[in-house]
Amino acid sequence: MKRDRGEKARTRRVPEALTQRTLASDGVPIAYTLWRQPSSELVILAPGFWRRRLAKENIYLATHFARLGYDVAALDFRGHGDSGGRYAFGAKEELDVEAVVNELVGGGRPYSRFAIIGLSMGGSIAAQALSRFRDLPCRALVMISSPADVKTLKPRPLSRDAIRQLRFRHALRVPRIAIRDLRGPKPRALEAVAELAMPKLIVTSENDWLVDPSHGKTLAERAAPPVEHVHFDLPGSLHADSLVRHVPLRLLRVLDRWLAQNAPP
């Protein structure tokens, strides 16, 4: 009897995680982890600010997509985890995305194309990178709780819901920050998505404590087609990786359906 996609995913072995390093074009070393089957299709995970590639939520996503048949790569943006340099709040991080893609995708490399899933700032940076480096062969972009314009953010870090989502393990792993870039240019995903022709999925959550869902609505309205906007009407003001932590099955049902239609393994 023929097995469905979900049963195959449950029985497929998760490949060993391999830690790799590459250099961004400005010389900053960028660490990434690759889960390789091998498959012909690659999904890249771009974490948000203050999040590492091997955070539990990212490993959960990587394991899930590996079981679906993708190879998966997750990177540490500069200033985070095992990468060098200092975080510039989007002013330079597009170079980190470019470096990992160029290491893995293209002539003589394991993959001919990729899809990318960005959480929070990772989604905005991914959109900016794809807009700047038009030759990157991206076939699908997912932005989860990503800001349309970083400068317009109005976070509520002292709200009860925000405090519930913070973890002690995060507080102990403070990213290295480029202070001089705090007032510099920030990624404007709003302008980037208007120029991107690949399929785009934008995910928001009700009353998100960090990135108000109006950001996602505006991104969807301004994005070049095709684009889909999925809004979770949930309590808790959940943001980005908190969706993975608190409502993983609900999130994965959306991601699996959309990727199966737009970037199947």
Side-chain angles (χ1 to χ4, degrees):
M1 184 172 65
K2 185 178 180 180
R3 294 183 299 172
D4 63 21
R5 189 167 178 243
E7 184 180 351
K8 290 180 181 178
R10 287 190 294 271
T11 58
R12 184 179 282 116
R13 182 181 65 86
V14 176
E16 181 181 357
L18 303 174
T19 296
Q20 309 282 351
R21 286 178 175 79
T22 186
L23 288 178
S25 61
D26 61 352
V28 174
I30 302 299
Y32 66 95
T33 294
L34 178 65
W35 290 262
R36 182 138 200 252
Q37 315 257 13
S39 168
S40 61
E41 299 295 353
L42 175 68
V43 169
I44 296 176
L45 300 179
F49 173 60
W50 212 308
R51 296 296 182 267
R52 297 185 176 202
R53 74 189 191 282
L54 296 180
K56 292 179 180 179
E57 296 81 5
N58 291 328
I59 293 176
Y60 179 85
L61 291 174
T63 300
H64 173 77
F65 290 118
R67 283 180 171 151
L68 287 182
Y70 298 94
D71 283 0
V72 183
L75 73 145
D76 276 336
F77 282 111
R78 61 185 61 207
H80 291 74
D82 297 318
S83 289
R86 295 181 178 275
Y87 194 73
F89 291 93
K92 298 178 181 177
E93 283 72 24
E94 59 199 43
L95 302 179
D96 307 348
V97 173
E98 180 202 25
V100 173
V101 172
N102 285 341
E103 186 78 4
L104 295 172
V105 182
R109 300 179 182 91
Y111 312 100
S112 62
R113 58 185 184 175
F114 67 99
I116 188 164
I117 300 174
L119 293 93
S120 192
M121 276 288 288
S124 301
I125 292 167
Q128 188 81 5
L130 296 173
S131 175
R132 177 176 175 183
F133 305 110
R134 296 297 184 87
D135 58 337
L136 297 182
C138 180
R139 64 177 183 146
L141 167 65
V142 178
M143 304 172 71
I144 302 174
S145 304
S146 298
D149 186 344
V150 175
K151 290 186 176 181
T152 64
L153 288 176
K154 297 179 180 178
R156 295 174 284 110
L158 299 181
S159 68
R160 180 180 299 178
D161 287 335
I163 292 172
R164 285 175 178 168
Q165 293 175 55
L166 299 177
R167 291 292 182 269
F168 186 64
R169 59 187 163 95
H170 295 151
L172 293 177
R173 297 169 177 171
V174 180
R176 303 173 302 279
I177 296 172
I179 301 298
R180 66 179 180 275
D181 290 319
L182 284 176
R183 295 186 179 182
K186 302 294 186 296
R188 283 181 52 83
L190 190 61
E191 297 173 355
V193 296
E195 301 173 344
L196 299 177
M198 77 284 295
K200 293 166 287 296
L201 172 65
I202 296 167
V203 178
T204 56
S205 182
E206 184 70 16
N207 206 32
D208 184 326
W209 72 268
L210 180 55
V211 180
D212 188 86
S214 61
H215 281 256
K217 181 181 179 181
T218 304
L219 284 170
E221 291 172 346
R222 298 280 289 274
V227 60
E228 180 178 345
H229 177 206
V230 173
H231 179 72
F232 291 125
D233 190 2
L234 298 168
S237 304
L238 300 177
H239 173 70
D241 54 343
S242 289
L243 290 168
V244 182
R245 189 182 315 128
H246 294 289
V247 289
L249 297 182
R250 188 164 180 176
L251 176 63
L252 290 179
R253 278 195 294 268
V254 170
L255 297 181
D256 290 355
R257 170 191 60 78
W258 189 85
L259 287 171
Q261 294 172 351
N262 295 282

